[in-house]
Amino acid sequence: MSQFYNQIAEKYDFIFPLSPAHKTFFASELHGKTILDVGAATGNLTAYLSSQGYEVTAIDLSERLIAKAAEKGVTVQQLNMLAIDELPMFDNIVCIGNTLPHLDSKTSVQLFLQKAYGQLTQGGKLVLQLVNFQKYFAQQQGDYLGNLPLIENDKVKFERYYYLNEEGKIRFKTILDDTIKNEELLQPIFADQLTQWLTQIGFQAINLYGNFKKDPFDKEKSMALIVTAVK
């Protein structure tokens, strides 16, 4: 995972800017004082939440993304998301940007969710954002699952394609500015699976959205899956 993000670090903020919808969503969803930002990347969300008065701890694996965050005065610790039980407890844990599917198995995903539950204060909130993989599996042709929307502006061009391998993992192929090619393996996670795991762990008040504007989640149409859950 870190190799992929190291390669796109210079253009990351042009590819994945923090939108007004992000800000409105988090202003309405978070509570308390402390937040753990898992997969914080270049620190845009961390910086915004800090500006709103929260005490934010940010973690990521990519050295280049962490360095880009530091250039903006944002501290991001280099820590594996499966090691969050080494940290204090938090009122909120946020894991967006399709970080969760970069774990290597469903077992690892469930382990992270269990550790997140353990690191939340009572009444604490978990916020997850990932791609709605079910939409892509429904349109499968051979091993090709489809492409994500092209990201193109005067600063960057970023192409993204999904293919299914024999082990049931997604081969995530990207092309940055027509020259830098990369491939990562992703663990597909469906909304029903995620809801079941969260319920089994003990989370309550589980809500699913199709985007940060809080439109209803539609497994056949939504591009994204946003999940909030309370301990």
Side-chain angles (χ1 to χ4, degrees):
M1 177 172 65
S2 58
Q3 177 186 352
F4 166 66
Y5 285 107
N6 282 340
Q7 289 191 333
I8 69 170
E10 291 301 317
K11 296 293 186 76
Y12 187 91
D13 287 346
F14 302 123
I15 300 171
F16 305 116
L18 192 67
S19 70
H22 283 93
K23 296 178 181 180
T24 301
F25 177 90
F26 286 109
S28 67
E29 287 291 335
L30 303 182
H31 74 113
K33 294 182 178 180
T34 57
I35 301 173
L36 173 63
D37 186 359
V38 178
T42 62
N44 288 336
L45 180 60
T46 296
Y48 169 70
L49 295 175
S50 297
S51 75
Q52 301 304 298
Y54 289 103
E55 299 173 13
V56 187
T57 299
I59 65 170
D60 205 285
L61 275 181
S62 167
E63 294 179 357
R64 292 282 297 281
L65 290 179
I66 292 171
K68 293 297 290 184
E71 291 175 9
K72 295 183 282 190
V74 179
T75 299
V76 178
Q77 301 178 35
Q78 188 172 36
L79 186 72
N80 191 303
M81 62 191 296
L82 294 179
I84 60 171
D85 50 338
E86 299 175 7
L87 300 171
M89 297 180 75
F90 299 90
D91 298 323
N92 309 272
I93 296 178
V94 175
C95 180
I96 66 170
N98 208 44
T99 299
L100 198 59
H102 282 278
L103 291 172
D104 62 4
S105 65
K106 292 181 180 179
T107 300
S108 293
V109 172
Q110 292 176 75
L111 179 59
F112 169 77
L113 297 175
Q114 290 169 350
K115 291 193 174 190
Y117 186 87
Q119 294 309 115
L120 281 169
T121 56
Q122 194 61 40
K125 180 169 284 189
L126 175 66
V127 179
L128 306 170
Q129 178 219 0
L130 55 154
V131 168
N132 173 25
F133 292 111
Q134 204 158 347
K135 175 183 184 295
Y136 291 91
F137 274 73
Q139 63 189 29
Q140 180 179 352
Q141 296 183 358
D143 66 344
Y144 182 59
L145 298 177
N147 61 287
L148 280 75
L150 174 67
I151 297 174
E152 187 172 20
N153 54 50
D154 60 344
K155 300 290 187 181
V156 70
K157 180 181 179 182
F158 193 48
E159 302 169 71
R160 301 169 292 171
Y161 306 91
Y162 282 161
Y163 296 85
L164 189 65
N165 72 9
E166 295 178 353
E167 288 76 41
K169 298 288 183 66
I170 292 175
R171 293 164 53 221
F172 177 37
K173 293 187 174 184
T174 62
I175 306 173
L176 177 61
D177 293 337
D178 296 319
T179 55
I180 302 174
K181 298 182 179 180
N182 210 327
E183 182 173 323
E184 288 283 310
L185 283 180
L186 299 178
Q187 172 61 55
I189 306 166
F190 290 175
D192 291 346
Q193 293 174 324
L194 191 53
T195 301
Q196 182 181 19
W197 295 337
L198 291 168
T199 301
Q200 290 172 343
I201 290 167
F203 282 100
Q204 301 178 12
I206 300 170
N207 291 306
L208 308 183
Y209 304 105
N211 52 41
F212 282 111
K213 296 179 181 178
K214 294 190 178 180
D215 289 331
F217 174 71
D218 184 327
K219 64 183 180 182
E220 297 178 355
K221 297 179 181 179
S222 296
M223 296 295 298
L225 169 62
I226 317 292
V227 181
T228 64
V230 176
K231 177 174 177 179

